[in-house]
Amino acid sequence: MATFKKKTKTKQDIPTSALPDIIFMLLFFFMISTTFRESELLVKNSLPQASELTKLEKKSLVSYIYIGEPTDTKKFGTEPRIQVNDVLIEPDQIVQHVIQEKDKLGEDGDKITMSLKIDRDAKMGVISDVRQKLRDANALKVNYASNKKLRISGM
């Protein structure tokens, strides 16, 4: 009858003692590098380019207004629309939106900055209507968002 011999040497291919450390490093990497959108864009938004830009100081005092052609053209048409938070609104509703945003900020409501993120192909008529309604709502601090223009050397 044959006898079976027991192997005495067991070799572990992958050391698993550092595995929890590696998992936590990956977790922290993705937590730090991921950015969340504040709202889902319902309008197309390819920002124009500019060469002289400044960053906003307090982003907590900024409310964004998006202007552009709707992404769902079958439902909303092809004319430029205005989006605040996650809804499309008409220019007449901007005053009400500004009042709500000022109420959210409390005593800092007067320091609110309205940041307009306007598609480069948007028509100026809608932009003028929005600016007029912001004046009516006494939101006089307006920022126009844009992308930084890349400079190509040698030209």
Side-chain angles (χ1 to χ4, degrees):
M1 199 166 194
T3 60
F4 294 101
K5 292 184 181 179
K6 195 175 193 183
K7 292 184 180 180
T8 57
K9 289 185 179 179
T10 58
K11 185 177 179 184
Q12 194 175 20
D13 292 335
I14 302 172
T16 58
S17 62
L19 198 58
D21 295 335
I22 294 169
I23 291 172
F24 281 112
M25 285 186 340
L26 282 172
L27 177 69
F28 286 128
F29 169 75
F30 286 115
M31 286 174 56
I32 291 170
S33 64
T34 304
T35 58
F36 295 104
R37 284 195 182 265
E38 294 176 4
S39 62
E40 182 181 338
L41 287 179
L42 302 173
V43 295
K44 292 179 184 172
N45 196 339
S46 62
L47 297 175
Q49 293 183 344
S51 59
E52 300 297 322
L53 301 176
T54 57
K55 287 196 173 195
L56 295 170
E57 290 110 27
K58 284 192 170 183
K59 288 201 173 192
S60 62
L61 299 175
V62 177
S63 178
Y64 296 97
I65 298 176
Y66 301 93
I67 301 173
E69 183 180 318
T71 53
D72 187 4
T73 55
K74 292 179 183 175
K75 188 175 183 180
F76 299 112
T78 58
E79 290 298 315
R81 300 289 304 263
I82 303 164
Q83 177 186 347
V84 292
N85 298 334
D86 282 332
V87 293
L88 295 174
I89 63 170
E90 295 297 323
D92 298 334
Q93 298 169 316
I94 290 177
V95 175
Q96 179 183 1
H97 168 70
V98 171
I99 292 170
Q100 288 174 350
E101 291 293 314
K102 284 183 177 182
D103 289 344
K104 279 184 195 175
L105 296 175
E107 61 188 44
D108 288 335
D110 293 334
K111 299 176 186 175
I112 192 168
T113 301
M114 303 305 291
S115 181
L116 300 179
K117 291 193 171 188
I118 305 167
D119 186 58
R120 70 177 69 191
D121 298 327
K123 296 180 180 169
M124 194 60 196
V126 177
I127 299 167
S128 297
D129 293 344
V130 170
R131 289 177 51 202
Q132 185 60 44
K133 294 300 178 180
L134 289 174
R135 276 189 219 115
D136 294 344
N138 200 24
L140 304 177
K141 195 171 180 185
V142 178
N143 173 46
Y144 294 92
S146 67
N147 291 327
K148 188 164 187 164
K149 188 175 189 178
L150 296 175
R151 294 183 183 170
I152 301 173
S153 61
M155 291 188 133

